[in-house]
Amino acid sequence: MLITLIRPDDWHLHLRDGAALRAVLPHSARQFARAIVMPNLRPPITTVAAAEAYRARILDALPPGMSFAPLMTLYLTDNTPVDEIRRAVEHPDVHAVKLYPAGATTNSDSGVTDVDKCDAVLATMEKLGMPLLVHGEATDPAIDVFDREKVFIERVLQPLLTRYPRLKVIFEHITTSDAVEFVAACGANVAATITAHHLLYNRNAIFSGGVRPHYYCLPVLKREEHRRALLRAATSGNHRFFLGTDSAPHARHTKEAACGCAGCYTAHAALELYAEAFASAGALDRLEAFASFNGADFYGLPRNTDQVTLEQAQCRVPDTYAYAEGEALVPLRAGEWLPWRLLA
Ligand code: NCD
Ligand code: ZN
Ligand code: ZN
């Protein structure tokens, strides 16, 4: 069986920098026309000038003959000036501003400690239509790690939208039925991205027969009932849910460690993994809108026009890929078989 769809875009992607960037970029460019590129480098991308320079490095790392458009984002801090937001709005290559609650995830130490500190910036974004991308987890260490998304909605996101009711918000990599219900109940200015791994796995994957660090990401995988709610949302036909892989590469030795990094690498087979999830729900006919239309429409960008084809055929995932400076990268499903394959 073959399925053909308009070429998809990835609305949440970590490309890293330097040799790591060169290692992972071809995987995304093989599948996706464009991607919203996360700004959580060290140091983070906090200015339009830094985003421009990072974009140039991404384009420079693209192998000859491949085409791919990086859509840049700014990393919001407590001190982001309103003028930087105005520059971003005017810049054709900067498409969103990312809110990392300080301490919530990988490279979030420079993130926002209290959204009230960003009042003027958020008011400007609301007025000028600049989308806010949100890593939605409360950071209070007293909160159970599995409840952080739900508590974030109650303590931060709902009050934020009450205060800025027309702010365009994309609730990134949602992982709970609470987030699904919240987004579904919001108006046309609020959307969410969903990863392939949160559609395919529940939290048992992290502990099956021992600790499995390659299934550890943030927000962490949740119970089966939440996975089912995400799958229902992704396949519902609601235009405000769309594809964002959150493919987050980390060198093998930094994941297989006493304190392993958070992030699953899925860019090598992103569309194949989504196809598997949609097929499991008998909803392959809904994949194209989720992967190729809804995100572009929400961002106000043109839809792609060329196509990709998936074949239902077993395809083995390598044990590792080469990563930066002699390091190895372990992809999701390493050494296992995938039921779908993207044709060249
Ligand atoms: C991401 C990373 O490694 O940059 N990790 C992750 O587990 N998702 C950061 C993020 O998206 O929160
Ligand atoms: Zn995140
Ligand atoms: Zn991410």
Side-chain angles (χ1 to χ4, degrees), residues 12-14 38 40 98 100 105 135 172-173 218 245-248:
H12 180 131
L13 176 64
H14 299 272
M38 289 297 123
N40 63 332
K98 176 79 189 227
Y100 289 102
T105 188
H135 179 108
E172 303 267 57
H173 49 44
L218 289 172
T245 63
D246 193 20
S247 178

Side-chain angles (χ1 to χ4, degrees), residues 37-52:
V37 179
M38 289 297 123
N40 63 332
L41 302 185
R42 273 184 195 284
I45 304 295
T46 55
T47 64
V48 170
E52 248 177 359

Side-chain angles (χ1 to χ4, degrees), residues 57-82:
R57 295 198 296 281
I58 296 167
L59 292 175
D60 184 60
L62 196 62
M66 289 191 112
S67 75
F68 178 75
L71 311 174
M72 308 312 291
T73 60
L74 293 193
Y75 185 118
L76 188 64
T77 72
D78 286 351
N79 307 310
T80 301
V82 169

Side-chain angles (χ1 to χ4, degrees), residues 16 106 248-255 261-265 323 328-330:
R16 313 305 190 205
T106 308
H250 292 274
R252 175 163 68 183
H253 73 274
T254 66
K255 286 199 62 77
C261 294
C264 296
Y265 185 69
Y323 196 51
L329 175 62
V330 179

